[in-house]
Amino acid sequence: KNLKIKYYIKITMKFSVSRDQLLKSLNYCQGIIEKRSTLPILSNVLIEAKNSSIKITATDLDLIFTNLTNNIKIYTEGSTTTSASVIYDIVRKLSSGSEINFNLVNENKLQLESEKSKFNLLCLSPSDFPLVDENFNDNEFTIDSKSMLKLLNKSKFSISNDETRHYLNGVFLHQTEYDKNYFLTAAATDGHRMSISKTKLNSKINFESIILPKKTIYQLVTLLEDQEATIKICNIKSKIKFEFNNSILISKLIDGKFPNYIQVIPTTNEKKLEINLNNFLSSVDRVSSVSTDRKEGVKFQLLKNILKLSVNNPNSGDGSETLEVKFDHELNISFNSKYLIDVASQINGEKIIFYLNETGSPALIKDPVDKNSIFVIMPMKA
């Protein structure tokens, strides 16, 4: 009887992998998987063991992410799908540096062993996992990963959350030309603030203007933070592909027309306000502490070389601070404190520069060490 049992049990996948390698791959997938998906298979990751590599895929139907881990001990090639959150939680809690042995006992059970731990995970058939094979061979270009990361970080905080204007729920990525140079430019706005950043390209690229969804952007940022090399980008009408060393991210795009943001950039703001960045950030953060939901405006009372910041909340009190600045005019204007902190957090230099006009006019904000990024904030009613 024992011989018969051994004969009929067919092991369809067996491999060993480092806990740390696998954890990194599964960690990327967490940003893709929808926690409350109506399709059970979308809560799973697809695991494929082949050619001394483990390929892990996650999708929510709008985003497809694959990560390849090479030089793996594979005893039997195969594939399965299992819960992304469960396997991630287990692997995360195993000892760093440990080895994990996987064994697909049957199509419904994946065995995981490491040190003194042993788990049996439920599986769904890999044939039910949705994969779309698109031809992305055209319109490919490369860009430095750090340049791409900068573009997204300096624009993403201005993305709108208003679902009625879906075309503002992402970053507008497009090619621009200035003085015979070509740039990849990112722009985002929610109607109250706007962020624009660009990076120089080596030459003109064949790239259609697109709107990248918010979820894609945050997933991209996570991937780019771990990259040092260049990445490959190519897009077709409704999708875009980002290719890294061992990862690929394919995303659907937002269908819509991004507004003409150039016409919103102030061109007549001649009142220049120069402030030490760290002092400004600290002061805004402190005085806005009395605003329970940070929605009260921070009032700027500007005199020659003096800025008084103040917040008044009828329910919790008021606060004020005075800063020494460079300014040759008199002006009172108010801004949303969160918007100020978001912009100031993306300034690289030691100073932040405001170009102001009147009390009700938008402010243009620049970074003295980054000529390729600008920010616009609408004032609040006093």
Side-chain angles (χ1 to χ4, degrees):
K1 285 184 179 179
N2 288 340
L3 286 174
K4 283 185 178 180
I5 290 171
K6 287 181 181 178
Y7 178 80
Y8 283 115
I9 291 176
K10 184 181 179 183
I11 297 172
T12 52
M13 182 175 69
K14 191 174 182 181
F15 65 89
S16 298
V17 62
S18 156
R19 173 262 188 194
D20 298 341
Q21 283 181 299
L22 184 61
L23 181 63
K24 194 170 186 179
S25 182
L26 292 171
N27 187 44
Y28 290 140
C29 295
Q30 298 310 298
I32 305 286
I33 300 290
E34 288 292 340
K35 301 298 184 284
R36 297 176 182 173
S37 176
T38 53
L39 292 172
I41 194 73
L42 295 182
S43 298
N44 285 12
V45 285
L46 172 65
I47 303 172
E48 298 172 279
K50 190 178 180 181
N51 298 330
S52 300
S53 298
I54 299 298
K55 184 161 82 169
I56 294 183
T57 306
T59 184
D60 65 354
L61 297 182
D62 290 331
L63 271 173
I64 299 176
F65 171 74
T66 61
N67 179 260
L68 200 66
T69 305
N70 297 311
N71 302 316
I72 303 299
K73 298 175 194 170
I74 295 177
Y75 308 105
T76 309
E77 294 185 346
S79 63
T80 190
T81 82
T82 193
S83 169
S85 59
V86 173
I87 191 171
Y88 172 71
D89 209 29
I90 291 170
V91 172
R92 183 173 62 86
K93 293 171 182 175
L94 293 173
S95 304
S96 179
S98 61
E99 191 85 358
I100 307 174
N101 300 310
F102 284 90
N103 182 3
L104 188 63
V105 179
N106 57 54
E107 63 178 2
N108 298 317
K109 187 166 73 174
L110 177 64
Q111 195 175 83
L112 181 163
E113 288 187 54
S114 180
E115 297 177 326
K116 296 179 181 179
S117 303
K118 184 176 180 179
F119 299 90
N120 288 305
L121 308 182
L122 297 180
C123 303
L124 292 174
S125 172
S127 61
D128 295 331
F129 196 85
L131 287 175
V132 180
D133 188 23
E134 299 276 7
N135 181 14
F136 281 95
N137 293 331
D138 297 333
N139 305 340
E140 184 177 278
F141 70 97
T142 59
I143 187 170
D144 176 70
S145 60
K146 296 306 174 190
S147 297
M148 190 69 190
L149 180 62
K150 177 212 140 185
L151 281 186
L152 298 178
N153 278 335
K154 296 214 171 190
S155 58
K156 71 177 193 281
F157 61 87
S158 292
I159 295 172
S160 173
N161 293 315
D162 182 0
E163 297 297 333
T164 63
R165 295 190 293 172
H166 69 282
Y167 50 86
L168 297 182
N169 297 156
V171 165
F172 181 47
L173 205 61
H174 55 299
Q175 184 175 206
T176 55
E177 182 184 359
Y178 179 74
D179 197 23
K180 296 183 180 179
N181 289 314
Y182 293 94
F183 298 85
L184 185 63
T185 302
T189 182
D190 61 5
H192 303 288
R193 54 179 169 172
M194 182 167 67
S195 310
I196 304 159
S197 188
K198 63 184 181 182
T199 187
K200 192 172 179 292
L201 296 165
N202 294 327
S203 59
K204 187 177 182 179
I205 57 174
N206 189 2
F207 181 71
E208 294 290 330
S209 300
I210 60 163
I211 305 174
L212 270 181
K214 188 175 185 177
K215 183 175 178 179
T216 305
I217 291 157
Y218 280 87
Q219 189 65 26
L220 257 180
V221 166
T222 301
L223 289 164
L224 288 165
E225 283 171 345
D226 287 342
Q227 300 293 322
E228 294 295 336
T230 58
I231 61 168
K232 284 195 278 190
I233 302 175
C234 50
N235 70 310
I236 53 179
K237 188 175 181 182
S238 61
K239 289 185 179 141
I240 189 165
K241 180 171 82 167
F242 300 91
E243 193 167 344
F244 302 82
N245 285 336
N246 293 311
S247 301
I248 293 174
L249 184 69
I250 298 173
S251 171
K252 287 184 180 178
L253 301 170
I254 292 176
D255 184 20
K257 185 175 175 60
F258 200 81
N260 182 3
Y261 66 90
I262 298 293
Q263 64 186 15
V264 184
I265 302 171
T267 56
T268 58
N269 289 19
E270 295 178 354
K271 296 174 181 175
K272 183 180 178 182
L273 168 62
E274 193 174 303
I275 317 172
N276 176 278
L277 178 66
N278 289 335
N279 292 347
F280 177 72
L281 252 175
S282 300
S283 289
V284 171
D285 195 29
R286 277 192 296 267
V287 298
S288 57
S289 298
V290 295
S291 173
T292 50
D293 56 6
R294 297 285 172 120
K295 287 182 179 176
E296 270 80 26
V298 174
K299 187 176 182 181
F300 284 32
Q301 292 173 281
L302 282 156
L303 299 170
K304 182 176 174 61
N305 295 334
I306 295 292
L307 167 60
K308 182 181 178 182
L309 297 168
S310 61
V311 174
N312 191 337
N313 185 310
N315 298 317
S316 55
D318 60 77
S320 65
E321 286 197 21
T322 302
L323 291 173
E324 291 182 6
V325 298
K326 284 187 180 179
F327 193 67
D328 288 330
H329 311 272
E330 292 186 12
L331 181 66
N332 289 339
I333 191 168
S334 297
F335 297 104
N336 181 305
S337 62
K338 185 181 184 304
Y339 294 176
L340 292 172
I341 290 171
D342 283 345
V343 170
S345 298
Q346 289 302 322
I347 300 293
N348 298 328
E350 294 180 359
K351 295 176 181 177
I352 182 169
I353 298 175
F354 289 75
Y355 292 89
L356 305 167
N357 189 0
E358 302 298 336
T359 299
S361 304
L364 177 64
I365 305 172
K366 293 186 178 181
D367 181 346
V369 301
D370 179 11
K371 306 297 184 187
N372 288 328
S373 299
I374 61 171
F375 310 94
V376 179
I377 300 182
M378 292 296 294
M380 295 181 72
K381 291 178 182 178

